[in-house]
Amino acid sequence: MLKVILSRFLQLVPVLWVLLTLTFFLTKVVPGGPFSAERQATPEVIAKLNEYYGLDKPVWEQYLAYLSKVIRFDFGPSYTYQSDSVTEVIARAFPISLQIGTLAFLIALLIGITAGTIAAVNKNKVWDYFPMSLAMVGICLPTFVMGPILALVFCLQLKVAPVSGWYGLDYVPLHPAVMPALTLGLFYAANIARLTRGGLLDVLNQDFIRTARAKGLPDHQIIFKHAMRGGLLPVVSFLGPAFAGLISGSFVVEKIFNVPGLGQEFIKSVFNRDYPLILGTVIFFGTLIVIFNLVSDVAQALLDPKSRRSP
Amino acid sequence: MRRMLVSLIGCAAAVVCCIRLFSTAPASSAASRTLQEADRAKVLLLVSGSEPRTLDPQESQGVLEHHIIIALIEGLVGGDEKDQARCVPGMAADWAHNEDYSSWLFHIGEDRRWSNGDPVTAQDFVFAYRRMLTASFGAAYADMLFILKGAEDYYRGKIKDFGQVGVKALDDHRLQLDFVGPTPYLLSMLQHSAWFPVHPATILKFGNIDTRDSKWTRPENYVGTGPFRIKTWRPNDVIEVERNPYYWDRETVKLNGIKFFAIENEMTQNRAFMAGQLHKTDTVPSDKVAYYRRKKPDLLRIDPYEGVYFYRVNVDRPVLKDARVRLALSYAIDREAICKNILRADQKPATGYTPPGMAGYQPLDKFNFDPDRARRLLAEAGYPDGKGFPKFTILFNTSDAHRTIAEAVQQMWKEELNIDVGLENQEWKVYLDTQNNKNYDISRSAWIGDFMDPVTFLSMWTTGNGNNDTNWGNPQYDRLIDESNHTGDPQKRLQILREAEELFLNEAPVVVVYWYTHDYLIRPSVRNWYPLALDNHNYKFIDLETGAGPEEKGSGRQARH
């Protein structure tokens, strides 16, 4: 097991290198530069700025210079936030996305697994169709529809959560993370519910469950003790990347509720051609995804003895 | 089944606990943000739009940065509360100029202080202008100072000694500015942040005179001269400013602070305003204007704004080379219809290029909808009834608003001139690149004035100017602009500029569409927020009325449009 984990960690290095290299050259191919603006600066000014940020050198030279800095964990200055470094931008935006993402993850798990289990147990009855149609609606409603609806209901009508902003909103009962988390959580909950139902139904038809029933075990014991373990396997493999996705922030949800998370930094860095910030966030996201894939693989191995034998 | 129910309830309780845990709002020194409390605390809640890139007045380029910087730094003169073309004393207590406006003497008030208590001196301005004109610093607005004697030569390295530039500190309190020509519009221009002072010791503490992006703009380091000083800056969330105790005219300042919220999305702005988180929005979503007009007219305001929306025409394209074709395109647009049916926020059909509102300058009344004339011009150019007219494309940056206008124009040209036009949208930076490389036929554009003088709209069309981008140039036009720069008599100068604009529009390297307005929502408790053509409000005059709750009707608002 330990060997598997170690080898996966070592794989991280080439994966990130490929990611970084691809992104670096892609950003150079994209037209438009960080300093183009509607009121154009004079060519001299643009030249000075390019010189200042080392953008006047040949691309391969820029690449090598960047690589040597990254090895020392120096991601350079951000062009957008003129007195901040990329590390500072990520350090202040990530905790916010992390909070929203974690809460969204919990909401998704709770609603998704509960709904999925209820549906599986009541297969083809009202309590199957009802949660599953809700899940279908959840999957079909994108966050940019769900977000404003939730904002209208909870923020403008009930006034229990802030419409916008992150800090020091002490006049509403709910923390600003709750509404964005709910928006994101509901979307993921829908997926989890369908996966849970499918997984559980597969397991519930298997012989060992029939044996358990024949032995006269009560329903809840069959479901929670025996069926869940195998039934949740598809969910677990979905959860790793889902968690990484959730905590890395969502541009749409962060824009709707105006929270200063990492998701909007990432998208805005692309719009602004803020090359160092694009690269910094891509590397950061890459690392997150690799790590949580690994975590979900390990969890799967713990749940499913079969997968332990073939790493 | 009962156990299952119990575990379900348990899980629900866990989530409630989680939410409770999250619901303890972080400790904030700020008072509660409800509007009434903000009114009572005299803290104005504004929106800055997107996150400002910098608060360094000399590095900033955008309007949104400028709106924050003018709270923190005051230039030689400050903005008048009612008229953007006028000014009030700022760091300069008084000033004088010679007969032809080419040499100005400013007297820096003895009581002027930086926000750290240091006295403001004439030398501080000399330092600031030297920084602007240091080429390696790369200030985007450096060329705005080229009207100073020797400034351009210093910038280009032709002279090394800054003493030869027309900025002189005669002593601690007397600043003399010498210009290459008459500058009757100077006082309006001085309100632009390119002319603001910076605190030399602070700049040099965090780098050299040409260090970009230094840490001096951090809240803990920031030193300014404005009515407010920065308290907190939480990127992508809020910038809070509080009263500057060293500000010379602190008796006039009515607010205790301002919060600039970085809310980019106009729908979110709108919701935040309705939820009572803001005193004023930056804009109103265009499809909501009609709603507010009908339901809440006391919250909606539409002010004139010094901006023009137009299409650049690439005159090097064979089909667009002929001025008659370009004029035909211009006359075939029903601007009235665009303003009334698409824009719907009192925008004015642009009959000329420079918008109305510049004191003493009558805007041109040239392009009224005249399809017959358009068809005639097109026929004269060799395309009767649009026959044989090759297809070309309108380029615009991706946005629904631009697309709708482009589609309307496309349809008008098809109907009136029988010519086919394609539409192409590009992402903002790609579009800027395409336009800059003149790789387009017709390109959507806009221009917002930097100060209250037609030259801010007209100087960009000289041959080869970096913002021209149409390949158009006319030596006579260049001569007229140059002549206006050397004319001391303000009236005569404006006449020359008008002549230049007439010449420019006769050759039509642009197709004008409309003149901007600025629409926004504002709470009745905000006082003295007068309509200003550049939307640069001197915050020291703004007040909040206590007791005018968010739902209350404004009784004594002094300016409404």
Side-chain angles (χ1 to χ4, degrees), chain B residues 134-159:
Chain B
T134 300
S136 50
F137 175 59
Y141 270 91
D143 55 339
M144 211 177 191
L145 274 68
F146 286 180
I147 55 170
L148 284 166
K149 242 181 211 162
E152 190 168 356
D153 285 345
Y154 179 80
Y155 182 81
R156 304 210 186 284
K158 285 186 198 149
I159 51 174

Side-chain angles (χ1 to χ4, degrees), chain B residues 444-456:
Chain B
R444 178 215 78 87
S445 309
W447 195 257
I448 309 295
D450 284 325
F451 50 96
M452 293 297 284
D453 190 88
V455 77
T456 181

Side-chain angles (χ1 to χ4, degrees), chain A residues 9 24 31 33 42 58 65 78 95 151 164 181 198 213 273 297 300:
Chain A
F9 255 111
F24 185 89
T42 55
S78 157
S164 130
R213 279 195 213 283
R273 306 290 190 276
D297 285 355
Q300 209 160 10

Side-chain angles (χ1 to χ4, degrees), chain A residues 32 36 39-40 44-45 52-53 81-84 110 114 163-164 167 171 175 255-256 258 265 273, chain B residues 8 11 22 59 141 155-156 212-213 215 218 236-237 262 264 268 277 427 429 433 436 466-467 469:
Chain A
S36 40
R39 187 198 190 278
Q40 281 158 34
E44 295 96 327
V45 171
Y52 192 90
Y53 291 106
Y81 302 103
Q82 294 193 347
S83 60
D84 293 347
L110 181 89
T114 313
V163 170
S164 130
Y167 295 96
Y171 63 97
H175 187 271
K255 271 266 147 271
I256 292 171
N258 206 53
E265 296 295 3
R273 306 290 190 276
Chain B
L8 271 180
C11 286
F22 270 84
E59 281 185 66
Y141 270 91
Y155 182 81
R156 304 210 186 284
R212 291 185 65 83
D213 312 343
K215 306 275 182 206
R218 296 270 175 107
N236 279 316
D237 195 56
E264 204 173 342
T268 308
Q277 279 181 246
E427 186 265 349
K429 292 268 183 180
D433 233 32
N436 195 16
N467 287 304
D469 282 346

Side-chain angles (χ1 to χ4, degrees), chain A residues 31-42 44-45 48-49 52-53 79-84 88 92 99 103 106 110 114 117-118 121 148 151-152 155-156 162-171 173-175 177-178 220 224 255-258 260 264-265 268 271-273, chain B residues 1 3-4 8 11 15 18-19 22-23 25-26 28 30 32-34 51 53-54 59 61 135-136 138-141 143 155-156 210-215 217-218 234-237 262-265 268 271-272 274-275 277 427-430 432-433 436 444 446-447 450 466-467 469:
Chain A
F35 311 117
S36 40
E38 190 153 32
R39 187 198 190 278
Q40 281 158 34
T42 55
E44 295 96 327
V45 171
K48 291 287 173 205
L49 291 176
Y52 192 90
Y53 291 106
Y79 301 159
T80 320
Y81 302 103
Q82 294 193 347
S83 60
D84 293 347
E88 283 170 313
R92 76 169 173 244
Q99 284 181 60
L103 189 57
L106 291 176
L110 181 89
T114 313
T117 313
I118 293 174
V121 175
L152 279 179
C155 311
L156 277 176
V163 170
S164 130
W166 182 253
Y167 295 96
L169 294 146
D170 42 4
Y171 63 97
L174 288 180
H175 187 271
V178 177
H220 61 83
F224 289 117
K255 271 266 147 271
I256 292 171
F257 293 98
N258 206 53
Q264 58 165 313
E265 296 295 3
K268 284 205 299 205
F271 287 147
N272 292 327
R273 306 290 190 276
Chain B
M1 207 59 203
R3 288 267 305 262
M4 192 166 157
L8 271 180
C11 286
V15 162
C18 260
I19 291 179
F22 270 84
S23 69
S28 158
S32 170
R33 305 269 163 88
T34 54
E51 171 66 16
R53 288 185 164 219
T54 176
E59 281 185 66
Q61 295 186 48
S136 50
Y141 270 91
D143 55 339
Y155 182 81
R156 304 210 186 284
D210 65 344
T211 307
R212 291 185 65 83
D213 312 343
S214 86
K215 306 275 182 206
T217 52
R218 296 270 175 107
R234 284 189 291 253
N236 279 316
D237 195 56
I263 309 179
E264 204 173 342
N265 185 300
T268 308
R271 279 197 294 270
M274 293 320 287
Q277 279 181 246
E427 186 265 349
W428 176 243
K429 292 268 183 180
V430 181
L432 287 177
D433 233 32
N436 195 16
R444 178 215 78 87
W447 195 257
D450 284 325
N467 287 304
D469 282 346

